[in-house]
Amino acid sequence: MKRTVLTAVLLTSALSLAACGQVEVADGATTGATTGATADAGGDITVVDDQGREVTIEGPVERAVVTLSYNNEFVEAIGAGDRVVGVDRGTVNRVPYLGFEESDVVGESIGELNYEAIVALDPDVAIIPRNGVWQEAADQLADFGIPVVVVTSWDIDVFEETIDILGEVFGEPDGAQRVRDFHEEIVTEVAARVEGTEPVPVYWETDQPYITALPGSGFDQVITAAGGTNVFGDIEGGDAQHEITIDPASVVERDPAVIVHEMPPSAEPYGEEEVAAVVSGIPARPGWSGIGAVQSGEVYVTNGWATSGLSKAIATAYLASWLHPEQFADLDPADYLERWATEFQGLSDYPGDAPYVTVGTAR
């Protein structure tokens, strides 16, 4: 039998749980989790999440709280977006096309959840990434019979496990396989085309100036898979996401042939003036006029909704085409982004990739 709506007594007790949690960032290490999902005759679903936790859910899942915009993109992509009843504010802001409103918000971020709001929605499951407050949520929601499944859609290393878990939770294995096939199509095509090419030195900058990716980060993996070499690939450590703030002068010293700056993900395109300011600002940084990438106009500015979508597979295709244009003369990564937007995210008014990817800037 499906879990019934919680009693007023329990809901009132949830008031004591409503204090916001603090983010406890995981170490970012690959868990190597496998789903091993099963469903019993009564409809219960048992999965192994990306923290290796065995979680049982009273199925079928008809109502879910899903936090993190990338998690919600994947849920939409497998065909279960209509079963999401609560999200974090980041999802509302980053992917407005999914149609969530203020009343659907159950937390200001993945590390600041309102448990009273979650309980009031009476979900069958809550899905939280490993760099969110999943431990706290699991403790707080246990008394209300709401299981927590840890799924981390930004992590390249567990992409297949992530899609499989979501497919099992929502009973959408065919939808999950469709997403896996699309992802595999991209990474296989890119790998075949960059094989044997000479690696090109790349400086990848995240959403803030001078914050770059180190080995262990998803962006470093993008660079390598695209046939490049990370100019800061000799440095290890950084924060939990393997990112670090570097001295601007060190970029000049390492002289990358290509520079990429990824703005924060937003399906609603940034204004032209805002993008133009970033585009013109990078070559104008003190001392940067002599960098090879600046002199040759190989400076790119992207929107993370486009280039970090689909576990960064689309970013890999774009970067590979910039690093090795001859090998990609007959392949346009914009086609992959359009398919992701229209076939998997359901955008009926997709504007093309121009608002999301600025290709090359002259000095």
Side-chain angles (χ1 to χ4, degrees):
M1 178 186 296
K2 292 287 290 181
R3 177 175 49 79
T4 59
V5 178
L6 299 168
T7 65
V9 172
L10 284 177
L11 185 55
T12 301
S13 70
L15 290 170
S16 64
L17 304 180
C20 295
Q22 298 300 310
V23 176
E24 296 179 11
V25 179
D27 61 9
T30 301
T31 63
T34 56
T35 62
T38 60
D40 66 21
D44 284 359
I45 303 163
T46 300
V47 299
V48 178
D49 69 11
D50 82 2
Q51 291 298 295
R53 301 163 59 247
E54 186 174 276
V55 183
T56 298
I57 308 161
E58 293 182 38
V61 170
E62 299 171 344
R63 299 174 62 81
V65 165
V66 181
T67 62
L68 183 69
S69 62
Y70 296 128
N71 281 348
N72 276 290
E73 287 179 33
F74 277 5
V75 173
E76 177 69 21
I78 68 172
D82 60 344
R83 282 176 267 170
V84 179
V85 297
V87 298
D88 61 299
R89 188 172 301 282
T91 293
V92 174
N93 293 339
R94 290 179 171 189
V95 283
Y97 61 86
L98 293 181
F100 296 111
E101 301 176 350
E102 181 67 26
S103 59
D104 302 313
V105 174
V106 297
E108 293 303 306
S109 70
I110 59 175
E112 192 176 341
L113 301 180
N114 183 327
Y115 299 108
E116 180 185 8
I118 294 174
V119 169
L121 289 173
D122 192 31
D124 302 311
V125 65
I127 295 173
I128 301 172
R130 72 165 180 264
N131 58 325
V133 288
W134 65 265
Q135 300 102 320
E136 178 184 271
D139 291 341
Q140 298 281 34
L141 298 176
D143 288 342
F144 300 92
I146 303 172
V148 170
V149 174
V150 183
V151 169
T152 311
S153 298
W154 52 258
D155 189 346
I156 292 176
D157 286 333
V158 294
F159 165 75
E160 292 186 355
E161 293 92 332
T162 295
I163 287 296
D164 287 348
I165 292 169
L166 291 174
E168 295 292 348
V169 166
F170 289 98
E172 296 286 352
D174 292 341
Q177 187 61 52
R178 184 165 164 259
V179 177
R180 286 186 63 170
D181 290 345
F182 182 44
H183 180 272
E184 182 64 19
E185 175 187 340
I186 298 173
V187 298
T188 300
E189 185 67 34
V190 171
R193 290 174 182 251
V194 303
E195 184 176 6
T197 58
E198 188 69 24
V200 178
V202 176
Y203 168 63
W204 189 290
E205 189 171 85
T206 60
D207 60 351
Q208 297 297 321
Y210 314 122
I211 297 180
T212 195
L214 302 179
S217 73
F219 294 121
D220 180 78
Q221 291 174 284
V222 166
I223 293 170
T224 301
T229 180
N230 186 349
V231 296
F232 289 96
D234 59 331
I235 300 176
E236 296 184 354
D239 61 16
Q241 309 304 323
H242 300 283
E243 296 174 358
I244 195 171
T245 302
I246 47 86
D247 183 344
S250 64
V251 181
V252 178
E253 294 170 359
R254 293 170 186 250
D255 194 26
V258 171
I259 293 173
V260 181
H261 175 98
E262 186 181 84
M263 299 177 72
S266 173
E268 183 68 29
Y270 292 99
E272 292 183 8
E273 292 185 1
E274 186 175 2
V275 175
V278 177
V279 169
S280 61
I282 292 173
R285 293 174 183 176
W288 282 38
S289 61
I291 295 176
V294 173
Q295 293 196 334
S296 61
E298 295 293 326
V299 178
Y300 302 85
V301 176
T302 74
N303 180 321
W305 176 79
T307 45
S308 278
L310 191 58
S311 199
K312 297 182 174 58
I314 295 172
T316 303
Y318 270 108
L319 181 59
S321 72
W322 300 333
L323 302 183
H324 306 288
E326 292 184 5
Q327 285 75 12
F328 287 81
D330 62 340
L331 189 153
D332 188 352
D335 294 338
Y336 290 137
L337 180 56
E338 181 174 6
R339 286 175 60 189
W340 176 245
T342 59
E343 296 178 27
F344 293 90
Q345 297 301 298
L347 268 71
S348 59
D349 57 349
Y350 173 65
D353 77 332
Y356 302 105
V357 182
T358 300
V359 181
T361 58
R363 56 177 175 157

